[in-house]
């Protein structure tokens, strides 16, 4: 019998008018992996997250833990165990850190509210000292930590992060890298990470899927993708490989 994959995308396509932002893409994520996604601007990476989390309808099929989740609404997908953060921080500026993470806890978490777990995730994401602060007071790293804490409060089986390093300085990138490792290793959570910063991605993720114009260029180990001539041409040559 074939092993059930944690996440399986089968020939998925999303068109915006004439543009196929995701074009007949298939891939599989196994439990326990940090699965990386790379590709140039406009490759379809964030759109892919929007498909997995049910923001848009699409052609093809996505299975989670062997169950077809295509067509399910976002909150049902969250309750099944898929959670995500956004490329540009999406937070409620009128709420405190604690209130925001509690909201995540109510949204997912198989529908059960567990304030103790919410508190645990605030500490896990190093936000304890800012717990009762308004979220608008957080700096960019703080906002990114908050999105992660709120997403983790849903008790996801898969956490999907979208360019968590964008806009951070070198020391903040180290802190974020460590947080993502801890999520995978200490919380035993499967992670999908979209990241432009190739040095960080190759340190964190294996395997890595590289896409361009919504289609796969290659999937492989960090060594395989960084030595693939097509990847070098379409991606590593671009200015993001700082
Ligand atoms: N809601 C939308 N309506 C129309 N076109 C869209 C929409 N969302 C994305 N697109 C287009 O789809 C393509 C893929 O966009 P997407 O945001 O998924 O790329 P990306 O790989 O995340 O890029 P970046 O690295 O810049 O974040 C782009 O051409 C974009 O303009
Ligand atoms: Mg994007």
């Amino acid at each position: 019998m074939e092993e059930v994959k944690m996440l399986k995308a089968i020939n998925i396509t999303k068109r915006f008018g004439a543009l196929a932002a995701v074009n007949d893409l298939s891939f599989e994520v196994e439990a326990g992996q940090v699965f990386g996604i790379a590709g140039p601007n406009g490759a379809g990476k964030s759109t892919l997250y929007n498909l997995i989390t049910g923001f848009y309808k699409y052609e093809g099929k996505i299975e989670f833990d062997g169950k077809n989740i295509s067509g399910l609404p976002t909150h049902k997908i969250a309750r099944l165990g898929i959670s995500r953060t956004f490329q540009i921080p999406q937070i409620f500026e009128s709420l405190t850190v604690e209130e925001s993470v509690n909201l995540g806890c109510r949204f997912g978490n198989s529908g059960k509210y567990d304030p103790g777990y919410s508190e645990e995730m605030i500490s896990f994401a190093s936000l304890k000292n800012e717990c009762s602060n308004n979220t608008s007071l957080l700096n960019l790293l703080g906002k990114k930590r908050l999105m992660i804490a709120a997403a983790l409060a849903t008790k996801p089986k898969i956490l999907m992060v979208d360019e968590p390093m964008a806009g951070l300085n070198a020391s903040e990138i180290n802190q974020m890298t460590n947080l993502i490792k801890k999520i995978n290793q200490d919380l035993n959570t499967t992670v999908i990470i979209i990241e432009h910063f190739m040095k960080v991605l190759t340190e964190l993720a294996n395997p890595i899927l590289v896409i361009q114009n919504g289609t796969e260029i290659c999937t492989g180990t960090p060594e395989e993708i960084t030595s693939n001539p097509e990847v070098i041409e379409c991606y590593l040559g671009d200015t993001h490989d700082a």
Side-chain angles (χ1 to χ4, degrees), residues 46 87 162-163:
S46 298
Q87 189 165 351
D162 193 348
E163 296 200 30

Side-chain angles (χ1 to χ4, degrees), residues 40-47 87 162-163 194 196:
N41 292 115
K45 305 179 298 296
S46 298
T47 301
Q87 189 165 351
D162 193 348
E163 296 200 30
I194 294 172
H196 265 304

